[in-house]
Amino acid sequence: MKSHMYADDCQLYVALSTEDVTTSENAVEVCLNDIKDWMSRNFLKLNPEKTQAKVFKCKSTNNPDLSSLTLQLSETVSILGVDLNDSFRFTKFVSKKVRKCQFHLRNFFNIKDNLNRPTRTILITNHILSTLDYCNVLLLDATDKDIYPLKLMLNNAIRFIFGIRRRDHVSPYYRMMNLLPIRKRISFKACTIAHRIFYDSAPIYLKENFEKFKRTTTIGLRATSGRDDFMFSVDKTDLNSKNLLYKIKLLWNTLPNIIRKCESLPLFKSKLKTKLLSEA
């Protein structure tokens, strides 16, 4: 059994075998009982109403029998504000972002006449952009339809900053602010995560799923095209996969060699943003 520990949240996860569900089920029960005992000894209480359990499985796999588990299974679980279900569609996640942005924008528009442009920019950066960028790498494989509501929120934020009408185009103002569109913001976050993984500054649970490309020949590899020493190794079984980690590897490997070679994170971000802005 593995775990992720956060400031106010703890996750336990275990791989279930369809042939031996009982063993995994017992392991979960024993772990939960140990946690309850420890909390009782330290004058704490495990809140059962906030304890959730969820089984993620392939569509072709039958539901495992977990009737003896004391925890009530949920249709969705919330992990650090992200709601996960079997479909991994993130529709609810996007809707929560949109509602939060709409709430802030309505309040901002009510006082916009009393704010200068630098103050408006600070408000949008702190309240809107931070919300749109939170965990946005999960939307790396999302369709344009899925992220369209986020695009509208970003457009409305720009209209608030510059005081432009709803029918006016916002594209020139993106360039004026050096602001990345939603799709490019997602790619920027994914590449930044890949950089941390490649240069060993990411958590272990992320690094263990990535392997650097290792040359099998002494012949010099091409730095401008083909494969080089600053790429991730991609398993052939991952080709055409919708796996998020595979998408991150592919995105990193397709970056120009001169960008991937930047060990300094600020310099990498600067060059990456320049490249993405030129493509926007």
Side-chain angles (χ1 to χ4, degrees), residues 39-166:
M39 296 185 77
S40 297
R41 291 195 303 270
N42 290 273
F43 307 101
L44 299 171
K45 182 180 179 181
L46 182 65
N47 191 346
E49 295 181 359
K50 293 185 178 180
T51 305
Q52 299 175 295
K54 172 66 181 170
V55 177
F56 294 97
K57 62 180 185 63
C58 300
K59 292 182 179 180
S60 58
T61 306
N62 296 326
N63 289 319
D65 183 14
L66 299 174
S67 55
S68 62
L69 192 65
T70 56
L71 286 176
Q72 185 69 29
L73 295 180
S74 305
E75 290 294 326
T76 62
V77 290
S78 180
I79 301 177
L80 299 180
V82 181
D83 296 312
L84 297 178
N85 53 25
D86 289 329
S87 64
F88 288 95
R89 289 284 296 173
F90 300 111
T91 304
K92 190 174 180 180
F93 175 54
V94 171
S95 298
K96 283 171 76 172
K97 282 176 175 284
V98 171
R99 286 197 301 271
K100 187 174 181 179
C101 290
Q102 285 176 333
F103 171 78
H104 288 305
L105 282 173
R106 278 196 299 268
N107 293 331
F108 293 162
F109 273 106
N110 290 333
I111 59 173
K112 70 174 184 177
D113 294 335
N114 300 318
L115 304 173
N116 55 26
R117 186 176 299 173
T119 305
R120 295 182 187 182
T121 303
I122 292 173
L123 287 174
I124 293 300
T125 301
N126 292 341
H127 294 278
I128 304 301
L129 297 186
S130 60
T131 300
L132 295 177
D133 291 342
Y134 178 70
C135 290
N136 62 350
V137 71
L138 296 173
L139 304 174
L140 188 59
D141 197 42
T143 63
D144 290 338
K145 181 180 178 180
D146 293 332
I147 63 174
Y148 183 71
L150 302 180
K151 178 182 176 181
L152 291 181
M153 288 299 103
L154 188 56
N155 289 347
N156 289 337
I158 292 177
R159 290 190 173 93
F160 166 76
I161 292 175
F162 292 97
I164 57 179
R165 297 173 300 179
R166 291 184 61 87

Side-chain angles (χ1 to χ4, degrees), residues 247-260:
K247 297 290 184 181
I248 294 176
K249 293 176 187 177
L250 189 63
L251 202 58
W252 170 265
N253 289 349
T254 54
L255 289 176
N257 176 270
I258 193 172
I259 296 180
R260 284 185 276 111

Side-chain angles (χ1 to χ4, degrees), residues 9-30:
D9 194 12
C10 176
Q11 301 171 19
L12 305 175
Y13 56 99
V14 59
L16 293 174
S17 172
T18 54
E19 299 176 354
D20 188 13
V21 177
T22 306
T23 302
S24 301
E25 190 176 2
N26 291 337
V28 174
E29 286 289 354
V30 170

